[in-house]
Amino acid sequence: MSFNNSQANLLNFRPWLTLLAFAWLLASLGLGWLVNSLLILFGLLLLAPVVAFFGFRWWLERNLVTDQCPVCSYEFTGLNNSQLQCPNCGETLTAQKGHFHRFAPEGTIDVTAVEVPSQQLED
């Protein structure tokens, strides 16, 4: 029974042993540079998704803005240095330096209205 079990384990390693024998044959023929370049390519293929994932997370942390709309105070998320619309009130906004600002075309003066309480005069 142990003979069959060890034979099954050997069959599991058969593709790896074949690959190792092929690499050894190429290295003995003076083609070790080919084996090394294939190993480097394989390593890059394994590392590229990991580097891309962490690079994308770093980029998102630097460029994702979560703030309130200056018009309706609705909190939402957008990308830094981009133009977007508030999903609540539809106001066109720009995201700059981590905050949302109302978009005004060049030459437009944007003012904020302040409510002043009135007093009634008695006659």
Side-chain angles (χ1 to χ4, degrees):
M1 184 142 195
S2 69
F3 179 71
N4 289 336
N5 205 7
S6 66
Q7 197 174 28
N9 285 338
L10 186 61
L11 289 177
N12 289 338
F13 289 116
R14 191 175 206 168
W16 295 107
L17 291 174
T18 305
L19 186 64
L20 183 64
F22 183 70
W24 184 46
L25 176 67
L26 285 177
S28 67
L29 293 175
L31 297 175
W33 60 271
L34 182 63
V35 174
N36 289 338
S37 63
L38 289 175
L39 288 176
I40 290 171
L41 183 65
F42 182 69
L44 287 176
L45 287 175
L46 288 177
L47 286 177
V50 174
V51 170
F53 173 75
F54 285 112
F56 184 67
R57 281 190 56 184
W58 173 80
W59 180 83
L60 266 182
E61 287 174 6
R62 293 189 56 160
N63 290 307
L64 209 57
V65 176
T66 301
D67 197 21
Q68 292 183 345
C69 174
V71 177
C72 67
S73 299
Y74 181 75
E75 187 171 336
F76 66 101
T77 303
L79 288 176
N80 206 11
N81 297 326
S82 65
Q83 185 176 349
L84 49 120
Q85 278 190 323
C86 175
N88 191 37
C89 66
E91 181 71 27
T92 303
L93 305 171
T94 58
Q96 294 174 346
K97 299 178 184 174
H99 296 288
F100 294 134
H101 303 284
R102 291 179 65 188
F103 175 74
E106 196 66 36
T108 304
I109 299 173
D110 192 15
V111 295
T112 304
V114 178
E115 187 175 332
V116 178
S118 63
Q119 296 178 357
Q120 290 184 354
L121 297 174
E122 292 182 25
D123 290 328

